[in-house]
Amino acid sequence: MERYKKWFPFKDMESLKDKKKHKVFCFHHAGGSASTYRPWMMYDTDIDILSIELPGKATRMTEDYISNYEELIPEVAKAINEVSCGQDYTLYGHSMGAMIAFKTAYILQNKYNNKPSSLIVAGRHAPVDDIKDRYQTYMEDDELVKELKRNNGTPSEILENEEILKVIIPAIKNDYKLNESLAYKDEVVDIPIIAHAGKEDFDANKKLMERWGLVTTDMFVIKEFKGSHFFLHDLGKEYYDDILKNIEAINEI
């Protein structure tokens, strides 16, 4: 199990043997990293947050970035299968992370017979819809900065600092390349899907996110939250508590 620690940099592998806690594996948005969910790890609750670090990101900067879903997802699924320890667990993904979570859930179900008890997706249109981002990686870097400003998830002091931008832009572009590699191949999971939409997130509103119900043969639930694309961070503990309720409700069914 220890050899998979690089995927979960902020987690003590020994603690994963505690079968009393429901595990939640979290996938970040484009431009994020495993540290995106560190605040959630600080809450003292009965769930175990495992924030996933992709190759080439933050604590794994010395590794080559994988910019293709077909290469990345099998590796992610293998790591989660190894550390889930035969327990019930949930996959959570926001934005780009929602698609990674879905693709990973499909492999865990069909290759390992180890499907999550639920899949929570936030701020991302369904896999069945091929909707391109406004920014594409063939565009100039200033177009990416405009996109980041529009999403309102990056502090203005960072977006206005040219030296910092020189460092972070290549890493963010890698995530967008990964996003562009997506090819939906008619995958459908037999897993409850819970979709979360920001009321002011016009690229992933409730109407668009309702179509996540087309990729599961199990239960589908959708809920709106106050805020735009990064509502999960703006709402903080309030949103985290709602996730707890979602997991508890699924586990009682």
Side-chain angles (χ1 to χ4, degrees):
M1 185 184 291
E2 192 65 30
R3 66 182 182 276
Y4 293 101
K5 180 174 174 55
K6 62 184 179 180
W7 291 94
F8 319 102
F10 308 123
K11 200 66 190 174
D12 173 15
M13 293 291 101
E14 279 298 311
S15 69
L16 296 180
K17 296 177 181 179
D18 181 1
K19 295 190 176 183
K20 295 179 181 179
K21 288 192 173 185
H22 184 94
K23 296 178 176 61
V24 182
F25 296 93
C26 300
F27 298 89
H28 62 76
H29 62 280
S33 68
S35 63
T36 296
Y37 297 105
R38 288 210 75 180
W40 291 9
M41 300 175 75
M42 301 297 108
Y43 300 136
D44 183 18
T45 64
D46 291 330
I47 66 173
D48 213 350
I49 297 293
L50 288 94
S51 189
I52 295 171
E53 194 81 280
L54 304 181
K57 306 284 291 185
T59 62
R60 301 179 67 179
M61 287 182 66
T62 58
E63 299 178 46
D64 291 336
Y65 186 89
I66 301 177
S67 57
N68 187 292
Y69 272 98
E70 299 303 318
E71 297 177 23
L72 175 67
I73 302 304
E75 296 301 316
V76 178
K78 182 178 181 181
I80 291 177
N81 183 62
E82 289 293 330
V83 305
S84 56
C85 301
Q87 300 171 245
D88 286 340
Y89 65 94
T90 292
L91 298 187
Y92 174 92
H94 170 240
S95 196
M96 177 185 79
M99 195 60 69
I100 298 176
F102 170 73
K103 288 274 193 175
T104 302
Y106 182 80
I107 291 181
L108 286 164
Q109 171 184 289
N110 291 282
K111 180 177 180 178
Y112 296 104
N113 193 29
N114 181 23
K115 65 182 182 181
S117 59
S118 59
L119 170 62
I120 304 177
V121 293
R124 168 79 190 216
H125 59 270
V128 294
D129 296 321
D130 185 17
I131 301 175
K132 306 297 184 184
D133 290 320
R134 286 181 175 84
Y135 168 76
Q136 296 289 298
T137 53
Y138 66 82
M139 298 177 179
E140 298 294 332
D141 290 353
D142 60 345
E143 293 299 320
L144 175 54
V145 174
K146 289 179 183 178
E147 177 75 357
L148 296 175
K149 288 181 178 179
R150 190 182 67 83
N151 285 336
N152 198 30
T154 307
S156 58
E157 56 267 26
I158 289 179
L159 296 177
E160 294 169 3
N161 188 312
E162 292 187 7
E163 293 304 313
I164 294 178
L165 285 177
K166 288 179 182 178
V167 175
I168 68 171
I169 285 295
I172 298 174
K173 288 181 74 171
N174 279 337
D175 284 349
Y176 274 86
K177 287 178 183 177
L178 174 62
N179 215 29
E180 290 169 5
S181 76
L182 174 70
Y184 177 61
K185 299 181 177 180
D186 298 323
E187 300 101 327
V188 175
V189 296
D190 182 26
I191 300 166
I193 293 182
I194 303 167
H196 291 168
K199 290 182 178 180
E200 288 81 47
D201 186 356
F202 304 111
D203 291 336
N205 57 36
K206 183 179 180 181
K207 184 177 180 180
L208 283 172
M209 293 201 66
E210 282 176 343
R211 289 175 60 79
W212 278 96
L214 299 175
V215 297
T216 180
T217 58
D218 205 304
M219 181 182 72
F220 174 71
V221 178
I222 188 166
K223 182 175 180 179
E224 283 187 299
F225 293 84
K226 180 181 178 181
S228 55
H229 189 61
F230 287 97
F231 66 90
L232 62 160
H233 302 311
D234 296 335
L235 295 177
K237 183 69 160 51
E238 176 186 345
Y239 178 68
Y240 179 86
D241 288 342
D242 199 278
I243 289 176
L244 289 183
K245 293 176 183 177
N246 292 162
I247 292 172
E248 289 170 358
I250 289 292
N251 287 341
E252 288 175 0
I253 295 176

